[in-house]
Amino acid sequence: MLQVILAGHTLDRELVRALRAGELPAEAEPTPETISAAYARISRAPEPVPELRAQARRDVAAARRSNRTIVFRMGHHSVAEHVLLNFDVLGVSRLALEALEDARLCSYTEKSQRYVTFGGEHVVPEEFDAAERERFERAVGEQMAFYRKAFERLHEWQRRRHPEQLRTKLGQETVEGWAKEDARYALGLATETQLGFSGNARNVEHVIRKLRHHPLAEVRGLSRALFDAAAEVAPSLIILSDPERFREAFGREVSDAFLRRGRETIERLGREAMAGVPAAAGTQECPRDGDVTLLDGTPEPDVAVAAALLHGASGRPWSDCRQRARALGEAGRSALVREALAELSEFDAVPREFEHAWFTMEVVLSAACYGQLKRHRMMTFTPQAYDPGLGITVPEAVAEVGLEGELRGLADRAADAWAGLASRHPRAADYVLLNAHRRRVLVTLNLREVYHVARLRMDRHAQWDIRRVAGSIAALARRAAPAAAALACGKDEYAARRTPG
C-alpha cells in the first residue's frame, strides 16, 4: 500500500539547538519556512542574515505571508529552493517511479532489484475491473514463479562458475547479486518497491503539480500523498499544488491546463501527423553502435570543444578561437585536450567547455536498463511508450542456464495480456509488462554528460545492460569527436586511457 512519510526537512539551526536543549518555547513552530522567508529579505533588508532569521522565527505567520507574497505574487520561486524536503516513499510500483523520477533536479535512492530479493509484492492498478484484475494477477503470479526459478538456477550456475568468490561473505553476496540482476528481467513493472526522495520545495511543488494530472491513478495518489506530507510543514511554499489554497490566497485560479492536457495534445498531434505515413525506405544511414544510433550533433565537435578551451583563456572572440582550433588539426586538438586534462582524475568532472559539443541519440533499451540510464538526469530524455513489438532483452546468463525460451514465452504471454488491457487502459496496461520489455528513448546530451555516464556506467562494477548502452554512447561520441571524447570511459580504465601507449 502506498505510503509517503516526511522524513526530514531544512530547519533553522537555532531551533535545532533549542530542541536539543529542551528549551523550545511551546508557541514556537519548527518549520523550514522561516529559512526561505529570511533569505528572501536579504536582497532588500539592511540587517545581518542571522537577525533576519531570528525575526522570521519570532513571527512564523509573518514569514508565511512573506513567502506567499515573494514566491507567488512577485514570482521569485527560487526562494523556495532554500528549503529541502526528504520523503520516505513505500509501496510504490516501478512503473509509477518512472513518473516520479522524471524530475531531473531531485534526488532518489531506490530499493535495488540487483541486491534485494523480491517476494512478489506488487501494485494492483485501480483502473482494472474484476475480470481484468484476475487476468493481471495470473500474469504477475506467473512472472513471480519464473523469477524464483530463474534466481535459484542462476545462483547455482554462478556459484559453480566462481568458486573463488565463495570464500568470503562479500564474494558470496556478489555471486548472489549476479543471479538477482539477471532474474529480475522476469519481474513486472507492477513490482512494489520503496525509495528515499529529496528535493527543494520549488522542485517538490513542480513534482506534485505534474503528477497530479498523470493518467495513472497510482501516480495521482502519490501526488496527493506528497502534497499532504509537504503541506504539513511548508504550506506557504507549495501553494501552486493546491488550486483551492491558491484561490483563497490570491483570488484567482491557477492554470493547470497544460499539465492536464498538454501531453495528451502532443500525443494526438503526433498520431495525426504520422497517420498514413509509410515506413521510410532507404533512409539516410546514421552511425550506430549496438542499440544506440547517433542522429544529430554539433558540427565539428572537436573543433567546438577546442575553441571553447581557447576562448575561456585567450580573451579573443569566438570566431578567432574557432579558426585557430581548426588550424590545429586533429593531432593538435588531441594534444590540447590531453594537456588540458592531464591532472584530471577519474573522480573529477571535465570542464564546462565540453558542454559546447552535444549529441542526439536514439536508444532502444529494456525497462531494467531505462531505470538506470534515466538517473543521469541532466540529459534530456523523451521516451516513447513501451512497445512489446520491440521484443525483449535476454540476459546472456539466462540463455546459458537454458531459460531463454521460457523467458521469451513469459514475455509473449505478458504482451498478449498487455494487448488485451491496452484497448481500455492504454497506460495502465504497462503494469503487466516485464523489466525485459523494451522502449525507444530519444536522448540529447552534451559531451560533459557523456563523460559522466561513461565514468559511472562503463565501470566494471556497473550492471552489464547499462554498461553495454553506456559503452555504445561513448563509442559514438568518440567516433564523432576523437580528440575531445578520447577519455570517455569507465573509472576503472581511466588511468590507462589517460596515458596513451
Side-chain angles (χ1 to χ4, degrees):
M1 179 179 295
L2 177 65
Q3 185 180 15
V4 173
I5 301 168
L6 183 68
H9 56 76
T10 302
L11 201 58
D12 189 292
R13 75 178 214 160
E14 302 305 328
L15 287 173
V16 173
R17 287 177 173 176
L19 284 167
R20 286 176 175 170
E23 298 172 353
L24 186 69
E27 67 278 7
E29 188 169 354
T31 170
E33 295 163 302
T34 60
I35 289 286
S36 59
Y39 283 5
R41 296 185 60 205
I42 289 175
S43 61
R44 301 188 180 205
E47 297 92 337
V49 179
E51 175 56 29
L52 296 177
R53 288 193 292 110
Q55 292 172 11
R57 290 195 307 271
R58 287 194 293 268
D59 194 341
V60 172
R64 286 175 170 157
R65 288 194 299 272
S66 175
N67 281 334
R68 288 195 294 268
T69 298
I70 293 172
V71 174
F72 299 105
R73 287 192 189 278
M74 300 174 65
H76 299 307
H77 290 261
S78 60
V79 170
E81 296 174 16
H82 293 296
V83 168
L84 183 70
L85 302 171
N86 312 100
F87 303 91
D88 305 337
V89 182
L90 302 89
V92 64
S93 73
R94 289 296 294 264
L95 184 62
L97 282 191
E98 291 186 359
L100 175 62
E101 293 176 353
D102 186 59
R104 293 183 293 188
L105 299 181
C106 298
S107 301
Y108 315 89
T109 302
E110 185 179 331
K111 179 180 178 180
S112 174
Q113 293 178 347
R114 289 186 71 190
Y115 305 116
V116 180
T117 305
F118 281 66
E121 299 82 4
H122 60 276
V123 171
V124 180
E126 295 179 27
E127 290 87 345
F128 295 168
D129 62 23
E132 291 164 337
R133 281 198 297 273
E134 184 178 350
R135 183 174 192 178
F136 167 77
E137 291 286 10
R138 283 199 305 270
V140 171
E142 187 180 15
Q143 293 163 8
M144 198 62 216
F146 180 85
Y147 167 76
R148 295 190 185 101
K149 175 181 178 179
F151 170 65
E152 291 177 4
R153 192 174 296 186
L154 288 164
H155 192 198
E156 181 57 33
W157 181 72
Q158 294 285 10
R159 287 171 61 88
R160 290 197 305 270
R161 289 186 72 215
H162 301 281
E164 74 286 354
Q165 293 280 357
L166 306 181
R167 298 170 189 157
T168 66
K169 183 178 180 181
L170 178 60
Q172 293 169 13
E173 292 173 349
T174 299
V175 168
E176 185 175 323
W178 289 335
K180 290 174 184 174
E181 74 177 27
D182 288 337
R184 68 173 169 156
Y185 281 73
L187 289 175
L189 299 183
T191 300
E192 191 176 280
T193 188
Q194 63 179 1
L195 81 159
F197 164 48
S198 300
N200 65 53
R202 181 181 189 175
N203 288 320
V204 168
E205 179 175 68
H206 170 72
V207 168
I208 293 170
R209 288 189 69 208
K210 188 174 180 179
L211 301 188
R212 192 165 167 264
H213 302 287
H214 196 275
L216 293 179
E218 180 191 6
V219 177
R220 296 194 298 272
L222 175 58
S223 173
R224 290 191 296 271
L226 288 169
F227 173 79
D228 290 343
E232 186 177 335
V233 296
S236 68
L237 297 176
I238 57 169
I239 295 179
L240 287 176
S241 305
D242 185 349
E244 292 184 9
R245 186 173 295 174
F246 186 90
R247 192 185 310 113
E248 291 174 3
F250 303 108
R252 61 185 177 89
E253 300 292 331
V254 59
S255 176
D256 281 348
F258 184 78
L259 291 173
R260 188 182 304 113
R261 295 185 296 272
R263 178 52 50 185
E264 182 180 314
T265 299
I266 292 170
E267 291 174 356
R268 175 181 57 77
L269 291 171
R271 289 191 298 269
E272 291 174 355
M274 297 304 293
V277 178
T283 55
Q284 180 182 358
E285 285 295 320
C286 293
R288 182 172 179 176
D289 190 286
D291 290 319
V292 183
T293 304
L294 177 60
L295 305 176
D296 198 3
T298 302
E300 300 181 291
D302 273 344
V303 171
V305 172
L309 290 168
L310 298 176
H311 187 270
S314 68
R316 301 285 290 276
W318 171 255
S319 56
D320 293 353
C321 297
R322 183 173 55 189
Q323 181 180 350
R324 178 57 180 159
R326 284 190 178 129
L328 284 172
E330 185 174 330
R333 289 190 292 271
S334 180
L336 174 66
V337 169
R338 284 192 174 274
E339 188 169 355
L341 303 184
E343 296 180 306
L344 191 84
S345 81
E346 65 269 31
F347 301 106
D348 301 324
V350 296
R352 285 191 175 177
E353 283 86 349
F354 283 67
E355 294 180 14
H356 291 289
W358 60 269
F359 310 94
T360 294
M361 304 185 187
E362 184 179 66
V363 186
V364 179
L365 73 175
S366 68
C369 190
Y370 177 68
Q372 300 178 80
L373 186 62
K374 67 180 170 60
R375 294 196 182 102
H376 300 279
R377 291 181 296 277
M378 295 315 293
M379 294 188 289
T380 298
F381 285 89
T382 51
Q384 291 183 351
Y386 283 104
D387 180 3
L390 293 173
I392 64 169
T393 296
V394 179
E396 290 183 9
V398 169
E400 288 287 340
V401 300
L403 291 177
E404 178 177 355
E406 288 188 46
L407 178 60
R408 290 191 180 278
L410 182 72
D412 288 343
R413 290 187 292 279
D416 288 342
W418 176 88
L421 294 166
S423 59
R424 289 189 64 229
H425 311 290
R427 295 297 296 271
D430 290 349
Y431 280 101
V432 81
L433 296 179
L434 309 181
N435 280 332
H437 279 107
R438 291 151 70 87
R439 72 193 314 178
R440 288 191 188 94
V441 182
L442 197 63
V443 181
T444 297
L445 70 171
N446 61 54
L447 188 50
R448 194 177 191 224
E449 188 63 34
V450 170
Y451 269 84
H452 174 67
V453 171
R455 292 277 182 82
L456 183 62
R457 298 303 189 181
M458 289 176 65
D459 186 81
R460 63 187 175 85
H461 296 102
Q463 188 256 357
W464 59 266
D465 202 355
I466 187 62
R467 192 165 66 237
R468 181 173 60 185
V469 169
S472 293
I473 290 172
L476 289 170
R478 285 196 298 271
R479 196 182 308 177
L487 301 181
C489 61
K491 291 193 296 291
D492 56 331
E493 59 174 315
Y494 180 73
R497 188 177 286 269
R498 187 173 60 179
T499 307

